[in-house]
Amino acid sequence: MTDAPQIIDDAQIIDDAAAVQVHWADGGSSRFHAIWLRDNAPDPETRDPGNGQRLITLADIPASTRISAVNIGVDGLHITFAPEEKTVTFAPGWLRENAYDQVSGPDAPWLAPGVQTWDGALTVPATDLPDLAHRGAALRDWLGAVRRFGFAKTTNGPTTSGALLQVVDLFGYVRETNYGKWFEVRAEVNPTNLAYTGLGLQAHTDNPYRDPVPTLQILYCLENSAEGGDSMVVDGFAAAMRLHAEDPDGFALLARHPARFEYAGSNGVHLTTRKPMIELSPDGELTGIRFNNRSAAALRDVPYDQMPAYYAAYRRLGEIVNDPAMEVAFKLQPGESFIVDNTRVLHARRGYSGAGTRWLQGCYADKDGLLSSLSTLERGVAA
């Protein structure tokens, strides 16, 4: 919702009482169907005043619901529904925020409000972990950076095993997997995952073979005296939008046809998914990227005549992801961590030598907890 107050100039019943048209003071207008309004009525008989959850089902609303009266009051728009003859007041700001009256859908993929794409010129958002622990404006701004950029760092944290849990505790809960509550990222003999070697890793999203995929990943540095091993991040949304600008048809192939991902690197674990590399909502919002060459299984859901073009688009997306101009690189110091939105931001690692030590710990969490904490802080913390 916009910061400016929403003022209703006029409202009238339209479409044989099946809808109402609201005229806003700024010259715009919005139409709302009677059934939609009744289903979203904020009165205490329809929604619990405490938790906001709906108390009725759609079956409890007459299928013949129409609007019998509409009036503008000082507290909002008063709408009376027939045949119930029930009057409900709707706040103008809520109506404007939830207006769905559009001439047509978007012609190109779009990003949610507040999401900002970036490239290698990004100044890394970073905050000291002790400052975040106060859970005030610093935490609000840091979580806001994760929502905006899909990525942020913490600095000046402890260097004790398990310290990464302090980062998760700021906003939510660890998502435990077959790798455990957290996992060690350092070279191993006979590793179950290439992440546990000194090899360089192409920018990728983690665990694309899971459904649902972990939506947040935290990597926390405890030791890092090895030569090399710099971390890198790439905005997958920026890469996808760049592909769309260059090759809309190739973008559409990666969004339309499922890729397959698989992991069977340890005893008793065999994970598979079938999801597109570029995920769009039904109305065209860019909602996710799954890109991980190490875990890609054989493609078998692309039609024969489209497979060459699919591979061409796949190759081009990889080239964009690998473009140095797209990446932000940094070497984590002990006590530092970074968090990525694993549905959006790809992370990578440069190879490192056997000299010195490099010890990171990683874990997963979920974005809904972060967004919930951010929303609470935005409502309750002064600027």
Side-chain angles (χ1 to χ4, degrees):
M1 183 168 55
T2 60
D3 293 333
Q6 302 302 314
I7 300 174
I8 298 175
D9 249 2
D10 188 26
Q12 59 202 60
I13 299 171
I14 61 172
D15 296 340
D16 296 325
V20 63
Q21 183 163 20
V22 175
H23 299 274
W24 304 101
D26 63 7
S29 67
S30 304
R31 294 170 296 177
F32 301 92
H33 290 94
I35 187 62
W36 184 92
L37 289 163
R38 180 62 186 90
D39 185 43
N40 289 286
D43 65 286
E45 290 78 30
T46 304
R47 286 187 178 271
D48 186 281
N51 58 37
Q53 292 189 317
R54 192 177 276 106
L55 300 173
I56 64 173
T57 69
L58 193 58
D60 296 316
I61 301 173
S64 60
T65 291
R66 292 291 186 271
I67 296 173
S68 59
V70 57
N71 295 285
I72 302 171
V74 294
D75 54 347
L77 187 66
H78 303 276
I79 295 180
T80 302
F81 297 96
E84 294 175 278
E85 291 307 312
K86 178 183 182 66
T87 301
V88 179
T89 301
F90 292 86
W94 185 91
L95 287 171
R96 192 69 181 266
E97 180 181 15
N98 292 283
Y100 57 91
D101 187 9
Q102 298 178 353
V103 175
S104 61
D107 295 326
W110 55 278
L111 298 172
V115 171
Q116 180 178 332
T117 56
W118 48 268
D119 58 18
L122 175 71
T123 299
V124 177
T127 308
D128 284 351
L129 187 57
D131 291 340
L132 296 175
H134 296 304
R135 300 179 183 275
L139 180 58
R140 177 202 61 199
D141 294 344
W142 185 79
L143 296 176
V146 178
R147 178 178 62 188
R148 183 179 180 185
F149 301 114
F151 159 67
K153 284 181 60 180
T154 69
T155 53
N156 292 324
T159 56
T160 53
S161 178
L164 78 171
L165 300 184
Q166 294 183 28
V167 179
V168 181
D169 286 345
L170 295 169
F171 60 81
Y173 306 92
V174 169
R175 176 173 168 183
E176 190 166 352
T177 69
N178 59 291
Y179 298 121
K181 193 169 186 178
W182 73 74
F183 48 89
E184 311 291 339
V185 184
R186 53 185 171 185
E188 294 180 354
V189 178
N190 299 321
T192 59
N193 192 301
L194 289 179
Y196 307 152
T197 71
L199 298 174
L201 300 175
Q202 184 188 31
H204 61 281
T205 59
D206 251 34
N207 290 204
Y209 39 75
R210 295 188 192 277
D211 189 11
V213 68
T215 49
L216 294 173
Q217 181 177 10
I218 296 92
L219 286 168
Y220 195 103
C221 180
L222 298 175
E223 300 175 7
N224 201 1
S225 60
E227 188 70 26
D230 289 9
S231 298
M232 297 169 285
V233 289
V234 175
D235 186 357
F237 282 4
M241 288 299 202
R242 182 172 158 185
L243 176 66
H244 184 269
E246 294 180 8
D247 181 9
D249 292 337
F251 177 99
L253 285 172
L254 297 186
R256 181 183 308 125
H257 298 295
R260 290 178 181 261
F261 301 93
E262 181 175 23
Y263 174 78
S266 56
N267 291 333
V269 178
H270 184 204
L271 298 164
T272 62
T273 57
R274 177 179 170 271
K275 298 285 184 180
M277 290 188 196
I278 298 174
E279 294 190 82
L280 301 174
S281 68
D283 62 352
E285 180 188 355
L286 179 55
T287 58
I289 301 292
R290 289 185 188 233
F291 188 89
N292 189 318
N293 181 70
R294 289 174 293 132
S295 301
L299 290 165
R300 58 176 193 256
D301 299 291
V302 181
Y304 175 86
D305 59 348
Q306 296 181 23
M307 187 67 81
Y310 184 98
Y311 261 98
Y314 182 11
R315 179 188 298 273
R316 183 55 188 149
L317 180 60
E319 291 171 347
I320 293 171
V321 166
N322 291 339
D323 183 351
M326 298 291 289
E327 73 180 31
V328 171
F330 51 90
K331 185 167 184 173
L332 283 179
Q333 300 302 314
E336 294 184 343
S337 76
F338 71 93
I339 182 172
V340 295
D341 178 343
N342 191 49
T343 68
R344 170 185 175 184
V345 173
L346 295 73
H347 64 284
R349 180 187 70 208
R350 294 195 173 106
Y352 62 96
S353 69
T357 60
R358 185 180 188 273
W359 179 19
L360 274 62
Q361 290 181 329
C363 70
Y364 300 112
D366 286 306
K367 197 164 53 175
D368 58 349
L370 185 149
L371 295 176
S372 172
S373 296
L374 174 58
S375 178
T376 301
L377 286 165
E378 287 178 333
R379 291 168 183 261
V381 176

